[in-house]
Amino acid sequence: MKTGPSEPESGDQDVENDAVIGQALRGSLIVFTLLALPVIGILVYLNLEKQEAESTEVEVSLPTERIANEQPIPSLPLVNVTAEAGIDFVHETGRYGEKLLPETMGSGIAVLDYNNDDHLDLLLVNSTRWPWDKSDQQPTSCRLYAGNGQFQFEDVSEAAGINFSLYGMGSAIGDYDNDGDQDIFISAVGKNCLLRNDSGIFVDVTTASGLGGSEETWGTSCGFFDYDNDGRLDLFVCNYVDWSKDADLSQDFTLDGESRAYGPPRAFSGSFSYLYHNEGDGTFTDVSEQAGVQVRNDDTNVPLGKAMGLAPVDINNDGWIDIVVANDTVRNFLFQNNQDGTFTEMGRLSGIAFDRSSGNARGAMGIDTARFRDDGTLAIGIGNFANEESALYMARPGRKQFVDAAMFTGFGPPTRLGLTFGLFFFDVDLDGRFDVLGANGHLEEEISKTQRTQRYEQPPQLFWNAGREAKNELVLATAKETGDSFHQPIVGRGTAYGDFDEDGDQDIVISVSNGSTVLFRNDQQIGNHWLRVNLQGTKSNRDAIGAKVQLQVGDRILQQTVMPTRGYLSQSERTITFGLGQAATVGELTVTWPGGQQETFQVDGIDQTVNLIQGDTAEEVASATSK
């Protein structure tokens, strides 16, 4: 059969067509470029002429930006007075060579007035030797030190009944039975402990109260507050990972591929924290499940939480305490109070669950909250792991969404190298603005061998608040401002504050893992005025935990909440300290008690402590003042 020329395959035809089209496009592009060059040149010339003309005739109006604060950081001496104060406490981790995770976490501090003498005392929580450690070392116990108001302390542990051993972690202070003295709860690896205060002698009522928890849990931060506004203090106890000695030792954790290291929290399952309701008869009921605070992994349905830090706070200003939980390597929780005994977890919706820049969960430890600015902006500060910035989530009144302001306030970048455990807001110089303290220290003694920028012992950090209009709102203080002793590296864990020498400013306590607790006396002499406020509830819980206080100072309204649960594993003083700056007078002081009752008091004078009782009249306040 005679055939004509063969037709190209379809693929070859496509290639040929593409080549022809490409050649035509290249030719068109060259012609277009040649034609366009003169036009582009004319436009550039005209534009430059226009810009030059404008620059000579019109003053450029730049957007408003922060300028550097002309006032330098003031002198803020924080002097280590531990030895002269009479504190000789040394923390016991129980470490004996096998590197078990609880040995890294340290323990907490509580500032309280256990004997009602109006002087602040100190409870230092301790761990102990492991029960399987057969060494002949004596067991260690928690220690209670009575203060005299002049930064002098006496060990009263044995006389007060604080002479028992447990693997203690955190503490909570509150008058749970409303009898006028402060009781103590201690969380632990294993069973927890409740100590009822009977006129300065503590009685172990753990079993009768129902607060022991499980032998299998690892309790961390904890706090008393009244979540249902019934006038009685309830209790929240954070639980960390699902841990056991066998589970820990079954995994080969290492930093260098040879020697054993402490395991990361990601290697352990999560757990549920406890919420206990105060029944008013000395007993508590575990309402965790029905209250909605048991969070499960969306995919596996196993417990999600790895709770380290606790912040009870009224997020939305509705008069009901909400709960913020800082979790280690899983998302943070925000439990919104539904006002019916239940909570709804809103962490992801609120924007505090993850690192907003990376979308990842961080290694969160200590936490605190404050009405950070005069406009009522709420701040949530969270200390995070090494190489992660600490968080400073902020939301203005009426806003449900938080933004992480750590970067643009200047707070975040200096925190990256530190591994921050304890963190709290306080006013170190009494200027009426909240400053921030962070206690740092790594988990691994030999971390510098694998990370050259990291050290086991790390100095604490003080961030001075320069004001909202400054270039950096929070500025890291150096040894020049605070003195050398504050900048000595330690393995910092729990943090608390209190006015131990009764001079109006707040002093600092930091617990040290496997080391000596350190006390720093605040020796600032700037001359700013102050007002300290003690509240006593009658219809609300006697400690007035959760009460909101507003103070008129000139054209400013300062706001604080009575909440001793702050930082990491710790409790600070209940007394509220308002820094007044140079203001010589104050206006009205308004208290919104737990439950919603609001009272306004007239305060006569400054640089004093006032004691306000729910139901008092304004005339009675003047006679109730001290100092």
Side-chain angles (χ1 to χ4, degrees), residues 229-243:
N229 286 337
D230 65 355
R232 299 188 295 266
L233 290 176
D234 311 301
L235 179 69
F236 192 95
V237 184
C238 292
N239 286 322
Y240 192 37
V241 296
D242 183 10
W243 178 88

PDB file of all heavy atoms in Angstrom, residues 229-243:
ATOM      1  N   ASN A 229     -18.336  31.553  94.540  1.00  0.00           N
ATOM      2  CA  ASN A 229     -18.781  32.710  95.317  1.00  0.00           C
ATOM      3  C   ASN A 229     -19.752  32.348  96.449  1.00  0.00           C
ATOM      4  O   ASN A 229     -20.707  33.072  96.723  1.00  0.00           O
ATOM      5  CB  ASN A 229     -19.444  33.750  94.390  1.00  0.00           C
ATOM      6  CG  ASN A 229     -18.432  34.496  93.549  1.00  0.00           C
ATOM      7  OD1 ASN A 229     -17.256  34.588  93.893  1.00  0.00           O
ATOM      8  ND2 ASN A 229     -18.873  35.022  92.412  1.00  0.00           N
ATOM      9  N   ASP A 230     -19.456  31.236  97.133  1.00  0.00           N
ATOM     10  CA  ASP A 230     -20.307  30.842  98.256  1.00  0.00           C
ATOM     11  C   ASP A 230     -19.691  31.224  99.602  1.00  0.00           C
ATOM     12  O   ASP A 230     -20.210  30.850 100.659  1.00  0.00           O
ATOM     13  CB  ASP A 230     -20.597  29.339  98.221  1.00  0.00           C
ATOM     14  CG  ASP A 230     -19.349  28.485  98.420  1.00  0.00           C
ATOM     15  OD1 ASP A 230     -18.226  29.052  98.485  1.00  0.00           O
ATOM     16  OD2 ASP A 230     -19.481  27.246  98.490  1.00  0.00           O
ATOM     17  N   GLY A 231     -18.578  31.977  99.566  1.00  0.00           N
ATOM     18  CA  GLY A 231     -17.965  32.440 100.796  1.00  0.00           C
ATOM     19  C   GLY A 231     -16.950  31.484 101.384  1.00  0.00           C
ATOM     20  O   GLY A 231     -16.430  31.744 102.475  1.00  0.00           O
ATOM     21  N   ARG A 232     -16.653  30.386 100.688  1.00  0.00           N
ATOM     22  CA  ARG A 232     -15.684  29.409 101.189  1.00  0.00           C
ATOM     23  C   ARG A 232     -14.606  29.189 100.129  1.00  0.00           C
ATOM     24  O   ARG A 232     -14.896  29.124  98.932  1.00  0.00           O
ATOM     25  CB  ARG A 232     -16.372  28.078 101.518  1.00  0.00           C
ATOM     26  CG  ARG A 232     -17.445  28.196 102.601  1.00  0.00           C
ATOM     27  CD  ARG A 232     -17.954  26.807 103.015  1.00  0.00           C
ATOM     28  NE  ARG A 232     -18.637  26.129 101.930  1.00  0.00           N
ATOM     29  CZ  ARG A 232     -19.948  26.152 101.723  1.00  0.00           C
ATOM     30  NH1 ARG A 232     -20.728  26.864 102.535  1.00  0.00           N
ATOM     31  NH2 ARG A 232     -20.491  25.481 100.727  1.00  0.00           N
ATOM     32  N   LEU A 233     -13.376  29.025 100.582  1.00  0.00           N
ATOM     33  CA  LEU A 233     -12.262  28.843  99.671  1.00  0.00           C
ATOM     34  C   LEU A 233     -12.212  27.410  99.145  1.00  0.00           C
ATOM     35  O   LEU A 233     -12.165  26.449  99.918  1.00  0.00           O
ATOM     36  CB  LEU A 233     -10.940  29.162 100.370  1.00  0.00           C
ATOM     37  CG  LEU A 233     -10.689  30.634 100.699  1.00  0.00           C
ATOM     38  CD1 LEU A 233      -9.384  30.786 101.470  1.00  0.00           C
ATOM     39  CD2 LEU A 233     -10.668  31.496  99.434  1.00  0.00           C
ATOM     40  N   ASP A 234     -12.228  27.295  97.829  1.00  0.00           N
ATOM     41  CA  ASP A 234     -12.046  26.017  97.147  1.00  0.00           C
ATOM     42  C   ASP A 234     -10.562  25.881  96.798  1.00  0.00           C
ATOM     43  O   ASP A 234      -9.758  26.773  97.075  1.00  0.00           O
ATOM     44  CB  ASP A 234     -12.935  25.968  95.908  1.00  0.00           C
ATOM     45  CG  ASP A 234     -14.371  26.372  96.229  1.00  0.00           C
ATOM     46  OD1 ASP A 234     -14.994  25.705  97.073  1.00  0.00           O
ATOM     47  OD2 ASP A 234     -14.858  27.369  95.651  1.00  0.00           O
ATOM     48  N   LEU A 235     -10.188  24.780  96.172  1.00  0.00           N
ATOM     49  CA  LEU A 235      -8.776  24.519  95.925  1.00  0.00           C
ATOM     50  C   LEU A 235      -8.573  23.916  94.543  1.00  0.00           C
ATOM     51  O   LEU A 235      -9.287  22.989  94.158  1.00  0.00           O
ATOM     52  CB  LEU A 235      -8.224  23.556  96.986  1.00  0.00           C
ATOM     53  CG  LEU A 235      -6.753  23.149  96.852  1.00  0.00           C
ATOM     54  CD1 LEU A 235      -5.835  24.331  97.147  1.00  0.00           C
ATOM     55  CD2 LEU A 235      -6.429  21.982  97.788  1.00  0.00           C
ATOM     56  N   PHE A 236      -7.597  24.464  93.818  1.00  0.00           N
ATOM     57  CA  PHE A 236      -7.178  23.891  92.541  1.00  0.00           C
ATOM     58  C   PHE A 236      -5.746  23.386  92.696  1.00  0.00           C
ATOM     59  O   PHE A 236      -4.891  24.099  93.232  1.00  0.00           O
ATOM     60  CB  PHE A 236      -7.240  24.924  91.418  1.00  0.00           C
ATOM     61  CG  PHE A 236      -7.096  24.345  90.035  1.00  0.00           C
ATOM     62  CD1 PHE A 236      -8.211  24.026  89.282  1.00  0.00           C
ATOM     63  CD2 PHE A 236      -5.840  24.113  89.477  1.00  0.00           C
ATOM     64  CE1 PHE A 236      -8.088  23.490  87.997  1.00  0.00           C
ATOM     65  CE2 PHE A 236      -5.696  23.582  88.210  1.00  0.00           C
ATOM     66  CZ  PHE A 236      -6.827  23.268  87.460  1.00  0.00           C
ATOM     67  N   VAL A 237      -5.488  22.164  92.238  1.00  0.00           N
ATOM     68  CA  VAL A 237      -4.162  21.565  92.328  1.00  0.00           C
ATOM     69  C   VAL A 237      -3.723  21.137  90.929  1.00  0.00           C
ATOM     70  O   VAL A 237      -4.365  20.283  90.307  1.00  0.00           O
ATOM     71  CB  VAL A 237      -4.138  20.345  93.273  1.00  0.00           C
ATOM     72  CG1 VAL A 237      -2.710  19.802  93.405  1.00  0.00           C
ATOM     73  CG2 VAL A 237      -4.707  20.704  94.636  1.00  0.00           C
ATOM     74  N   CYS A 238      -2.646  21.749  90.444  1.00  0.00           N
ATOM     75  CA  CYS A 238      -2.085  21.344  89.157  1.00  0.00           C
ATOM     76  C   CYS A 238      -1.376  20.003  89.303  1.00  0.00           C
ATOM     77  O   CYS A 238      -0.639  19.782  90.271  1.00  0.00           O
ATOM     78  CB  CYS A 238      -1.081  22.370  88.663  1.00  0.00           C
ATOM     79  SG  CYS A 238      -1.773  23.965  88.200  1.00  0.00           S
ATOM     80  N   ASN A 239      -1.582  19.118  88.354  1.00  0.00           N
ATOM     81  CA  ASN A 239      -0.828  17.868  88.281  1.00  0.00           C
ATOM     82  C   ASN A 239      -0.002  17.865  87.004  1.00  0.00           C
ATOM     83  O   ASN A 239      -0.480  18.249  85.933  1.00  0.00           O
ATOM     84  CB  ASN A 239      -1.757  16.662  88.321  1.00  0.00           C
ATOM     85  CG  ASN A 239      -2.325  16.430  89.710  1.00  0.00           C
ATOM     86  OD1 ASN A 239      -1.631  16.613  90.713  1.00  0.00           O
ATOM     87  ND2 ASN A 239      -3.590  16.047  89.792  1.00  0.00           N
ATOM     88  N   TYR A 240       1.234  17.417  87.147  1.00  0.00           N
ATOM     89  CA  TYR A 240       2.177  17.436  86.028  1.00  0.00           C
ATOM     90  C   TYR A 240       2.009  16.156  85.206  1.00  0.00           C
ATOM     91  O   TYR A 240       0.891  15.724  84.948  1.00  0.00           O
ATOM     92  CB  TYR A 240       3.592  17.616  86.587  1.00  0.00           C
ATOM     93  CG  TYR A 240       4.655  17.951  85.569  1.00  0.00           C
ATOM     94  CD1 TYR A 240       4.407  18.791  84.484  1.00  0.00           C
ATOM     95  CD2 TYR A 240       5.941  17.449  85.721  1.00  0.00           C
ATOM     96  CE1 TYR A 240       5.405  19.101  83.579  1.00  0.00           C
ATOM     97  CE2 TYR A 240       6.955  17.768  84.819  1.00  0.00           C
ATOM     98  CZ  TYR A 240       6.667  18.586  83.748  1.00  0.00           C
ATOM     99  OH  TYR A 240       7.660  18.885  82.844  1.00  0.00           O
ATOM    100  N   VAL A 241       3.077  15.520  84.812  1.00  0.00           N
ATOM    101  CA  VAL A 241       2.993  14.363  83.923  1.00  0.00           C
ATOM    102  C   VAL A 241       2.661  13.089  84.695  1.00  0.00           C
ATOM    103  O   VAL A 241       2.771  13.027  85.923  1.00  0.00           O
ATOM    104  CB  VAL A 241       4.320  14.168  83.160  1.00  0.00           C
ATOM    105  CG1 VAL A 241       4.577  15.347  82.246  1.00  0.00           C
ATOM    106  CG2 VAL A 241       5.479  13.961  84.126  1.00  0.00           C
ATOM    107  N   ASP A 242       2.267  12.058  83.956  1.00  0.00           N
ATOM    108  CA  ASP A 242       2.044  10.723  84.523  1.00  0.00           C
ATOM    109  C   ASP A 242       3.418  10.074  84.681  1.00  0.00           C
ATOM    110  O   ASP A 242       3.978   9.533  83.734  1.00  0.00           O
ATOM    111  CB  ASP A 242       1.148   9.924  83.576  1.00  0.00           C
ATOM    112  CG  ASP A 242       0.815   8.542  84.121  1.00  0.00           C
ATOM    113  OD1 ASP A 242       1.112   8.289  85.304  1.00  0.00           O
ATOM    114  OD2 ASP A 242       0.267   7.720  83.360  1.00  0.00           O
ATOM    115  N   TRP A 243       3.924  10.135  85.918  1.00  0.00           N
ATOM    116  CA  TRP A 243       5.320   9.747  86.144  1.00  0.00           C
ATOM    117  C   TRP A 243       5.424   8.602  87.138  1.00  0.00           C
ATOM    118  O   TRP A 243       4.634   8.495  88.086  1.00  0.00           O
ATOM    119  CB  TRP A 243       6.113  10.943  86.685  1.00  0.00           C
ATOM    120  CG  TRP A 243       7.551  10.616  86.979  1.00  0.00           C
ATOM    121  CD1 TRP A 243       8.591  10.676  86.114  1.00  0.00           C
ATOM    122  CD2 TRP A 243       8.095  10.162  88.225  1.00  0.00           C
ATOM    123  NE1 TRP A 243       9.763  10.287  86.732  1.00  0.00           N
ATOM    124  CE2 TRP A 243       9.481   9.969  88.036  1.00  0.00           C
ATOM    125  CE3 TRP A 243       7.540   9.889  89.481  1.00  0.00           C
ATOM    126  CZ2 TRP A 243      10.315   9.520  89.058  1.00  0.00           C
ATOM    127  CZ3 TRP A 243       8.375   9.443  90.506  1.00  0.00           C
ATOM    128  CH2 TRP A 243       9.750   9.264  90.275  1.00  0.00           C
TER     129      TRP A 243
END
